[in-house]
């Protein structure tokens, strides 16, 4: 396939003129090196993308870079024998929009070691409704399951439940056979959360305790918020339950006691999706395409945008106004 001399990309700069994100024409040789070139069909918007695109978080390690930590599309050129023209692939994390150019571009040049062949059972669109958010939620469940989490331990709490990771976690966990209690400060989204798999919807006051130990309420959970809510979730988790930590939407602090760990044997599991080893990455995507595939992807995808609409999406997300997932489409 003929690759145009230039194409549009959402590029992030930081120099003497200021920190800024602009849509500009770039050439293939402007992009980070890699063995395969992908015609991007879809990307997505994650909290990390909003931080990077606005400069409110120190995400990028060098400038300029194309934003976007996710992409899915067709291979149009490859020097790696594992990939041929026409293959559908996806990439999430793996240094995109951090150390190398990302997915907010009509064409992307990718290192073959991070390109995942599209799993049977997922379309390119579905893979990007999932994206890093769905991968993170599923990786959290895999870590909990590997540490003997079982539905019989009790419900899994999901904090920040209306966000991208939270919404997909509610759906994925319930699909995998767990009872899910969604925790959110957005009372008006209770019907949405029940529709995607939550058996109960609780306000933030459910995790407002400051005591180091409370009565058991949850079998475990996924926290996307950090700070006092994570501390409270640990204090209410059943003996030998697991709590996965995947975000810091409220705080990076953890004002915790060791008591849940040494008295109840609770485990706190870190979830760092960006640099996940390839064998684990492949396992997670196979689960997302089969046994753990969310049932409500169309409902969780609440918005679609083009590159031009990204600044508005970023501002709404950082202001706490987004629900579900935003898909980025390309002409």
């Amino acid at each position: 396939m003929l690759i145009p001399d230039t194409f549009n990309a959402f590029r992030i700069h930081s120099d003497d003129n200021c920190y800024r994100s602009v849509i500009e024409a770039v050439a293939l040789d402007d992009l980070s090196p890699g063995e395969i070139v992908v015609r991007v069909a879809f990307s997505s918007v994650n909290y990390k993308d909003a931080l990077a695109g606005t400069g409110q978080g120190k995400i990028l390690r060098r400038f300029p870079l194309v934003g976007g930590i996710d992409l899915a599309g067709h291979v149009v050129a490859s020097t790696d024998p594992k990939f041929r023209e026409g293959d559908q692939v996806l990439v999430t994390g793996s240094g995109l929009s951090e150390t190398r150019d990302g997915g907010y571009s009509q064409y992307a040049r990718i290192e073959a070691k991070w390109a995942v062949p599209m799993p049977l059972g997922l379309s390119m669109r579905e893979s990007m409704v999932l994206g890093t958010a769905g991968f993170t939620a599923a990786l959290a469940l895999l870590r909990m399951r590997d540490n003997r989490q079982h539905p019989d331990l009790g419900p899994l709490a999901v904090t920040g439940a209306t966000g991208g990771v939270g919404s997909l976690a509610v759906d994925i966990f319930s699909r995998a056979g767990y009872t899910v209690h969604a925790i959110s400060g957005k009372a008006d989204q209770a019907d949405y959360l029940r529709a995607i798999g939550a058996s109960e919807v609780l306000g933030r006051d459910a995790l407002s305790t400051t005591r180091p130990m409370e009565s058991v309420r949850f079998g475990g959970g996924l926290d996307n918020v950090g700070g006092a809510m994570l501390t409270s979730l640990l204090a209410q988790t059943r003996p030998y339950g697991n709590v996965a930590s995947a975000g810091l939407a409220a705080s990076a602090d953890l004002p915790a006691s060791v008591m849940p760990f040494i008295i109840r044997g609770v485990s706190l599991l870190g979830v760092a999706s960006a640099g996940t080893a390839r064998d684990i990455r492949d396992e997670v995507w196979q689960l997302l395409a089969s046994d753990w595939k969310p049932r409500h992807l169309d409902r969780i995808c609440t918005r679609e945008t083009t590159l031009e609409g990204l600044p508005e999406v970023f501002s709404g997300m950082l202001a706490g106004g987004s629900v579900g997932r935003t898909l980025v489409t390309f002409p």
Side-chain angles (χ1 to χ4, degrees):
M1 179 179 178
L2 183 64
I3 301 170
D5 293 336
T6 62
F7 44 87
N8 287 335
F10 186 87
R11 212 170 188 205
I12 304 168
H13 298 259
S14 182
D15 52 34
D16 293 340
N17 292 324
C18 67
Y19 192 105
R20 63 196 185 280
S21 303
V22 294
I23 298 173
E24 59 187 39
V26 300
L28 189 63
D29 287 342
D30 294 326
L31 302 181
S32 307
E35 297 83 14
I36 65 174
V37 180
V38 177
R39 175 67 166 96
V40 180
F42 299 99
S43 184
S44 69
V45 182
N46 302 278
Y47 194 72
K48 191 173 181 179
D49 295 315
L51 293 174
T54 60
Q56 293 192 34
K58 294 182 179 180
I59 306 299
L60 275 64
R61 307 289 182 85
R62 64 182 183 87
F63 296 91
L65 278 182
V66 175
I69 65 173
D70 295 340
L71 68 87
H74 291 94
V75 174
V76 295
S78 174
T79 60
D80 187 293
K82 295 190 294 294
F83 296 96
R84 296 184 297 177
E85 184 175 338
D87 288 350
Q88 294 184 15
V89 297
L90 66 91
V91 188
T92 58
S94 311
L96 297 186
S97 189
E98 183 176 349
T99 59
R100 55 180 298 113
D101 290 295
Y104 292 163
S105 177
Q106 291 177 303
Y107 290 85
R109 191 156 57 178
I110 301 299
E111 292 179 294
K113 65 181 180 180
W114 297 121
V116 176
M118 192 64 58
L120 185 66
L122 277 185
S123 67
M124 290 192 295
R125 176 189 173 86
E126 289 173 330
S127 77
M128 287 295 98
V129 177
L130 288 163
T132 286
F135 181 84
T136 299
L139 179 60
L141 183 56
L142 182 66
R143 294 218 63 200
M144 289 190 283
R145 189 190 69 178
D146 287 350
N147 205 38
R148 302 178 67 87
Q149 191 73 37
H150 188 275
D152 290 346
L153 285 176
L156 293 179
V158 176
T159 66
T162 61
V165 177
S167 293
L168 287 162
V170 169
D171 202 338
I172 291 166
F173 294 0
S174 62
R175 173 70 192 269
Y178 292 83
T179 299
V180 181
H181 290 183
I183 299 173
S184 174
K186 298 176 180 176
D188 60 329
Q189 296 299 326
D191 288 344
Y192 162 77
L193 291 168
R194 291 190 184 93
I196 62 173
S199 63
E200 289 193 32
V201 180
L202 309 174
R204 290 174 182 158
D205 58 345
L207 295 179
S208 61
T209 181
T210 58
R211 297 173 60 185
M213 296 274 281
E214 281 285 358
S215 299
V216 167
R217 187 171 188 177
F218 307 107
L222 170 61
D223 176 64
N224 298 294
V225 176
M229 290 185 72
L230 173 54
T231 302
S232 183
L233 177 54
L234 291 166
Q236 298 182 65
T237 295
R238 181 184 178 122
Y240 295 98
N242 297 279
V243 175
S245 173
L248 41 64
S251 174
D253 295 332
L254 181 57
S257 163
V258 299
M259 291 176 68
F261 310 127
I262 65 174
I263 295 176
R264 289 183 177 158
V266 172
S267 294
L268 177 59
L269 307 176
V271 182
S273 62
T276 305
R278 181 55 192 260
D279 61 328
I280 301 174
R281 189 177 295 272
D282 289 342
E283 181 180 2
V284 170
W285 280 110
Q286 288 302 320
L287 286 166
L288 284 170
S290 55
D291 294 347
W292 291 0
K293 183 176 180 179
R295 299 184 179 96
H296 308 98
L297 288 175
D298 286 342
R299 185 151 192 165
I300 291 172
C301 182
T302 57
R303 185 172 185 175
E304 295 187 19
T305 188
T306 60
L307 294 181
E308 289 76 11
L310 286 173
E312 180 184 353
V313 175
F314 292 163
S315 62
M317 179 173 284
L318 294 176
S322 63
V323 172
R325 291 282 283 160
T326 297
L327 190 72
V328 182
T329 61
F330 293 81

